[in-house]
Amino acid sequence: MKKEELLRAGCMVPDTLQEAIRSGRQDMAEGDEEALETYICRLLEENGRENTYFDFYFGTLSQEEQSRAETVLSSEQVRFLHAYGLPDSREDVYFSFEESLFAIALRLSVTQMLFSTFYFPMLRKTVWSSYEGKFIVFSYD
């Protein structure tokens, strides 16, 4: 999926922090891994799976970076990733909700292995995963 498709779906897809800040209100979601997973899963259910999107840059990582990220995944998740055939282009990093891939992106986010953005257009929210137990939540009109 391309960025233009996300925009057509009503997602806020800022390129910079400054652009995101200008787009609306910002809040922080904080907590341990479990609390952050619970928060994102609650937004997923409220927004509807069919209207949820995320970016996932795993395919653009070097082999060494991928191997390091895989250390926090189950062997089943690693097999899934290898079989999925992720593109290595930075233009093809956006995905519609798919349960296994979403769970992997979320796991890598809460363990601080890989930044992802989660898009909830029905709720008018975009969540940037971050580090140190904090996600930035952008709410927009």
Tab-separated table of all heavy atoms in Angstrom, residues 64-89:
chain	number	residue	atom	x	y	z
A	64	GLU	N	21.688	-7.788	9.402
A	64	GLU	CA	22.116	-7.742	10.807
A	64	GLU	C	21.036	-7.104	11.679
A	64	GLU	O	20.727	-7.607	12.772
A	64	GLU	CB	23.419	-6.941	10.930
A	64	GLU	CG	23.955	-6.854	12.342
A	64	GLU	CD	25.239	-6.047	12.429
A	64	GLU	OE1	26.111	-6.215	11.554
A	64	GLU	OE2	25.348	-5.243	13.376
A	65	GLU	N	20.426	-6.012	11.214
A	65	GLU	CA	19.368	-5.348	11.969
A	65	GLU	C	18.138	-6.246	12.093
A	65	GLU	O	17.509	-6.307	13.153
A	65	GLU	CB	18.986	-4.028	11.303
A	65	GLU	CG	20.080	-2.972	11.383
A	65	GLU	CD	19.822	-1.790	10.464
A	65	GLU	OE1	19.279	-1.977	9.354
A	65	GLU	OE2	20.187	-0.671	10.860
A	66	GLN	N	17.810	-6.954	11.028
A	66	GLN	CA	16.681	-7.878	11.080
A	66	GLN	C	16.927	-8.984	12.098
A	66	GLN	O	16.043	-9.323	12.887
A	66	GLN	CB	16.412	-8.487	9.698
A	66	GLN	CG	15.790	-7.523	8.719
A	66	GLN	CD	15.479	-8.166	7.383
A	66	GLN	OE1	15.581	-9.377	7.205
A	66	GLN	NE2	15.091	-7.337	6.421
A	67	SER	N	18.116	-9.535	12.076
A	67	SER	CA	18.463	-10.607	13.025
A	67	SER	C	18.355	-10.126	14.464
A	67	SER	O	17.847	-10.843	15.336
A	67	SER	CB	19.876	-11.129	12.764
A	67	SER	OG	19.928	-11.762	11.516
A	68	ARG	N	18.798	-8.909	14.723
A	68	ARG	CA	18.722	-8.351	16.079
A	68	ARG	C	17.253	-8.167	16.484
A	68	ARG	O	16.857	-8.520	17.595
A	68	ARG	CB	19.487	-7.029	16.156
A	68	ARG	CG	19.608	-6.485	17.550
A	68	ARG	CD	20.571	-5.313	17.709
A	68	ARG	NE	20.503	-4.307	16.667
A	68	ARG	CZ	21.454	-4.103	15.739
A	68	ARG	NH1	22.542	-4.839	15.726
A	68	ARG	NH2	21.316	-3.162	14.832
A	69	ALA	N	16.426	-7.652	15.587
A	69	ALA	CA	15.004	-7.443	15.889
A	69	ALA	C	14.291	-8.769	16.131
A	69	ALA	O	13.414	-8.867	16.991
A	69	ALA	CB	14.337	-6.680	14.745
A	70	GLU	N	14.669	-9.787	15.404
A	70	GLU	CA	14.019	-11.097	15.535
A	70	GLU	C	14.200	-11.724	16.910
A	70	GLU	O	13.443	-12.614	17.293
A	70	GLU	CB	14.534	-12.048	14.462
A	70	GLU	CG	14.043	-11.691	13.069
A	70	GLU	CD	14.709	-12.511	11.969
A	70	GLU	OE1	15.637	-13.310	12.263
A	70	GLU	OE2	14.304	-12.344	10.805
A	71	THR	N	15.164	-11.238	17.689
A	71	THR	CA	15.422	-11.836	19.005
A	71	THR	C	14.255	-11.665	19.971
A	71	THR	O	14.171	-12.395	20.958
A	71	THR	CB	16.704	-11.273	19.652
A	71	THR	OG1	16.532	-9.874	19.897
A	71	THR	CG2	17.927	-11.531	18.775
A	72	VAL	N	13.354	-10.711	19.722
A	72	VAL	CA	12.215	-10.500	20.626
A	72	VAL	C	10.940	-11.159	20.102
A	72	VAL	O	9.884	-11.048	20.721
A	72	VAL	CB	11.959	-8.992	20.883
A	72	VAL	CG1	13.177	-8.346	21.534
A	72	VAL	CG2	11.538	-8.272	19.619
A	73	LEU	N	11.044	-11.858	18.981
A	73	LEU	CA	9.887	-12.509	18.367
A	73	LEU	C	9.899	-14.005	18.649
A	73	LEU	O	10.952	-14.597	18.887
A	73	LEU	CB	9.890	-12.283	16.858
A	73	LEU	CG	9.857	-10.828	16.376
A	73	LEU	CD1	9.982	-10.775	14.864
A	73	LEU	CD2	8.604	-10.124	16.857
A	74	SER	N	8.738	-14.603	18.581
A	74	SER	CA	8.654	-16.060	18.699
A	74	SER	C	9.172	-16.686	17.406
A	74	SER	O	9.241	-16.028	16.358
A	74	SER	CB	7.205	-16.493	18.939
A	74	SER	OG	6.435	-16.279	17.755
A	75	SER	N	9.531	-17.956	17.469
A	75	SER	CA	10.011	-18.638	16.258
A	75	SER	C	8.908	-18.664	15.188
A	75	SER	O	9.186	-18.552	14.001
A	75	SER	CB	10.501	-20.046	16.580
A	75	SER	OG	9.488	-20.793	17.211
A	76	GLU	N	7.659	-18.765	15.619
A	76	GLU	CA	6.529	-18.734	14.674
A	76	GLU	C	6.449	-17.371	13.979
A	76	GLU	O	6.209	-17.296	12.769
A	76	GLU	CB	5.231	-19.027	15.420
A	76	GLU	CG	4.006	-19.048	14.530
A	76	GLU	CD	2.753	-19.364	15.332
A	76	GLU	OE1	2.746	-20.379	16.069
A	76	GLU	OE2	1.795	-18.577	15.220
A	77	GLN	N	6.659	-16.305	14.713
A	77	GLN	CA	6.624	-14.973	14.114
A	77	GLN	C	7.779	-14.773	13.136
A	77	GLN	O	7.596	-14.176	12.072
A	77	GLN	CB	6.656	-13.898	15.208
A	77	GLN	CG	5.357	-13.795	15.976
A	77	GLN	CD	5.448	-12.830	17.137
A	77	GLN	OE1	6.450	-12.793	17.869
A	77	GLN	NE2	4.396	-12.045	17.320
A	78	VAL	N	8.952	-15.283	13.474
A	78	VAL	CA	10.099	-15.167	12.579
A	78	VAL	C	9.824	-15.936	11.284
A	78	VAL	O	10.071	-15.423	10.182
A	78	VAL	CB	11.397	-15.667	13.262
A	78	VAL	CG1	12.549	-15.751	12.262
A	78	VAL	CG2	11.756	-14.761	14.434
A	79	ARG	N	9.270	-17.131	11.395
A	79	ARG	CA	8.924	-17.909	10.185
A	79	ARG	C	7.904	-17.159	9.341
A	79	ARG	O	8.019	-17.103	8.116
A	79	ARG	CB	8.388	-19.288	10.568
A	79	ARG	CG	9.463	-20.294	10.934
A	79	ARG	CD	8.930	-21.720	11.004
A	79	ARG	NE	7.870	-21.901	11.985
A	79	ARG	CZ	8.055	-22.089	13.287
A	79	ARG	NH1	9.293	-22.116	13.778
A	79	ARG	NH2	7.038	-22.250	14.111
A	80	PHE	N	6.919	-16.579	9.998
A	80	PHE	CA	5.901	-15.814	9.274
A	80	PHE	C	6.538	-14.666	8.495
A	80	PHE	O	6.244	-14.456	7.319
A	80	PHE	CB	4.845	-15.272	10.245
A	80	PHE	CG	3.823	-14.399	9.572
A	80	PHE	CD1	2.711	-14.966	8.978
A	80	PHE	CD2	3.985	-13.025	9.521
A	80	PHE	CE1	1.768	-14.172	8.333
A	80	PHE	CE2	3.058	-12.222	8.887
A	80	PHE	CZ	1.941	-12.802	8.290
A	81	LEU	N	7.424	-13.915	9.160
A	81	LEU	CA	8.087	-12.783	8.498
A	81	LEU	C	8.867	-13.219	7.267
A	81	LEU	O	8.801	-12.576	6.221
A	81	LEU	CB	9.052	-12.097	9.469
A	81	LEU	CG	8.524	-10.984	10.326
A	81	LEU	CD1	9.629	-10.432	11.217
A	81	LEU	CD2	7.909	-9.882	9.503
A	82	HIS	N	9.593	-14.301	7.394
A	82	HIS	CA	10.404	-14.778	6.269
A	82	HIS	C	9.536	-15.268	5.119
A	82	HIS	O	9.895	-15.108	3.955
A	82	HIS	CB	11.391	-15.849	6.734
A	82	HIS	CG	12.484	-15.290	7.585
A	82	HIS	ND1	13.634	-14.748	7.074
A	82	HIS	CD2	12.584	-15.169	8.934
A	82	HIS	CE1	14.400	-14.315	8.051
A	82	HIS	NE2	13.784	-14.558	9.198
A	83	ALA	N	8.399	-15.842	5.428
A	83	ALA	CA	7.495	-16.344	4.394
A	83	ALA	C	6.668	-15.225	3.770
A	83	ALA	O	6.227	-15.346	2.623
A	83	ALA	CB	6.563	-17.406	4.983
A	84	TYR	N	6.469	-14.127	4.491
A	84	TYR	CA	5.595	-13.047	4.037
A	84	TYR	C	6.138	-12.345	2.796
A	84	TYR	O	5.382	-11.899	1.949
A	84	TYR	CB	5.384	-12.041	5.170
A	84	TYR	CG	4.256	-11.079	4.911
A	84	TYR	CD1	2.948	-11.414	5.224
A	84	TYR	CD2	4.483	-9.814	4.357
A	84	TYR	CE1	1.899	-10.540	5.003
A	84	TYR	CE2	3.451	-8.931	4.134
A	84	TYR	CZ	2.165	-9.301	4.452
A	84	TYR	OH	1.129	-8.435	4.223
A	85	GLY	N	7.437	-12.210	2.710
A	85	GLY	CA	8.027	-11.541	1.556
A	85	GLY	C	7.857	-10.032	1.610
A	85	GLY	O	7.319	-9.430	0.676
A	86	LEU	N	8.314	-9.427	2.681
A	86	LEU	CA	8.199	-7.976	2.828
A	86	LEU	C	9.019	-7.254	1.769
A	86	LEU	O	10.148	-7.659	1.469
A	86	LEU	CB	8.697	-7.543	4.209
A	86	LEU	CG	7.822	-7.917	5.389
A	86	LEU	CD1	8.580	-7.710	6.687
A	86	LEU	CD2	6.533	-7.115	5.376
A	87	PRO	N	8.474	-6.175	1.215
A	87	PRO	CA	9.253	-5.387	0.251
A	87	PRO	C	10.391	-4.666	0.951
A	87	PRO	O	10.304	-4.361	2.142
A	87	PRO	CB	8.223	-4.397	-0.307
A	87	PRO	CG	7.145	-4.333	0.704
A	87	PRO	CD	7.144	-5.651	1.425
A	88	ASP	N	11.463	-4.393	0.213
A	88	ASP	CA	12.597	-3.684	0.808
A	88	ASP	C	12.610	-2.212	0.412
A	88	ASP	O	13.544	-1.493	0.697
A	88	ASP	CB	13.921	-4.358	0.456
A	88	ASP	CG	14.161	-4.440	-1.044
A	88	ASP	OD1	13.359	-3.887	-1.826
A	88	ASP	OD2	15.153	-5.076	-1.427
A	89	SER	N	11.550	-1.742	-0.214
A	89	SER	CA	11.434	-0.351	-0.622
A	89	SER	C	10.823	0.473	0.503
A	89	SER	O	9.847	0.069	1.128
A	89	SER	CB	10.538	-0.250	-1.864
A	89	SER	OG	10.149	1.085	-2.068
